[in-house]
Amino acid sequence: MDGRLLQQGTGGRRIIVIATSIGAASSASMLNSANFVLYNSAQKIIWQSFDYPTNTLLSSHHLLAGQQLLSSISESDHSTGIFRLKMQSDGNLVQYPVDTSDITPYAYYASGIDGWGDNRTLNLDADGYLYLLNCTSYNMKNLTNGGYTTTETIYLMRIDAEYTTTMEDI
Ligand SMILES: *[C@@H]1O[C@H](CO)[C@@H](O)[C@H](O)[C@H]1NC(C)=O
Ligand SMILES: *[C@@H]1O[C@H](CO)[C@@H](O)[C@H](O)[C@H]1NC(C)=O
């Protein structure tokens, strides 16, 4: 394996290189958290899918400052659609159309807690609790209350192909 990882779009019509130049991977693992991880021969993680968010946040996955979720074109076509939800480095979580700059006139939604410190993260717990933490793990805002059943249920947060951001159980 040369360390290149390819992702194939629906109907085989689009192939995107999502990782290159990561060194030779000697093993790969799909973790229970749904993180897909490549290790080198020293068992060090050299690439993980959680570093490349798509349209979905899973529990134990954190959306880091500067990262964004991108909506898909549709339920069946996971190519990049028209919305993005960005964890800005100013601490605000904002939804914009794709291909705009990060400025207020383009925003559809904002968590409204910018300017109070940077490096916040968006986090989802196994019980559906969705919240923003600052870099010293202090809870800055609750987006859902959580406390939903975890029996045979996995929660995810997804930016929809259409207007809203939803939380579903699968
Ligand atoms: C995180 O928030 C808490 C409470 O507002 C604050 O005391 C702490 O300094 C913040 N951490 C950073 C790094 O800003
Ligand atoms: C969010 O909810 C938790 C648990 O109920 C609570 O401790 C925390 O203070 C809440 N955060 C904010 C910013 O209200």
Side-chain angles (χ1 to χ4, degrees):
M1 186 167 175
D2 67 355
R4 273 161 61 91
L5 187 67
L6 302 177
Q7 179 178 288
Q8 188 154 9
T10 24
R13 66 189 182 80
R14 197 151 110 155
I15 294 177
I16 312 154
V17 179
I18 55 176
T20 55
S21 317
I22 53 173
S26 66
S27 62
S29 184
M30 186 74 195
L31 306 182
N32 278 340
S33 59
N35 194 10
F36 181 67
V37 178
L38 298 180
Y39 300 93
N40 66 12
S41 54
Q43 290 303 302
K44 246 189 104 194
I45 294 176
I46 53 175
W47 186 92
Q48 53 184 330
S49 60
F50 273 10
D51 289 340
Y52 299 89
T54 55
N55 65 347
T56 302
L57 187 74
L58 296 159
S59 73
S60 77
H61 180 187
H62 316 286
L63 191 68
L64 306 178
Q67 291 187 331
Q68 59 186 357
L69 300 178
L70 294 164
S71 70
S72 301
I73 286 182
S74 66
E75 287 287 303
S76 56
D77 184 345
H78 292 284
S79 310
T80 299
I82 53 176
F83 300 114
R84 60 197 178 96
L85 182 69
K86 183 158 186 183
M87 187 68 254
Q88 296 188 162
S89 46
D90 67 359
N92 209 355
L93 178 72
V94 187
Q95 186 172 352
Y96 298 106
V98 164
D99 295 330
T100 60
S101 28
D102 296 354
I103 52 172
T104 310
Y106 295 118
Y108 292 102
Y109 161 83
S111 63
I113 51 166
D114 54 312
W116 294 6
D118 54 11
N119 281 317
R120 301 225 178 94
T121 54
L122 177 65
N123 305 273
L124 178 66
D125 285 357
D127 67 349
Y129 180 36
L130 183 70
Y131 54 100
L132 294 168
L133 292 182
N134 76 3
C135 63
T136 46
S137 297
Y138 188 90
N139 181 306
M140 301 304 292
K141 188 169 179 107
N142 293 317
L143 299 169
T144 65
N145 292 325
Y148 303 107
T149 179
T150 53
T151 311
E152 292 179 8
T153 310
I154 294 171
Y155 296 93
L156 57 85
M157 190 217 118
R158 170 173 293 155
I159 176 165
D160 262 2
E162 284 151 29
Y163 249 111
T164 51
T165 302
T166 56
M167 184 139 84
E168 309 169 15
D169 50 88
I170 52 176

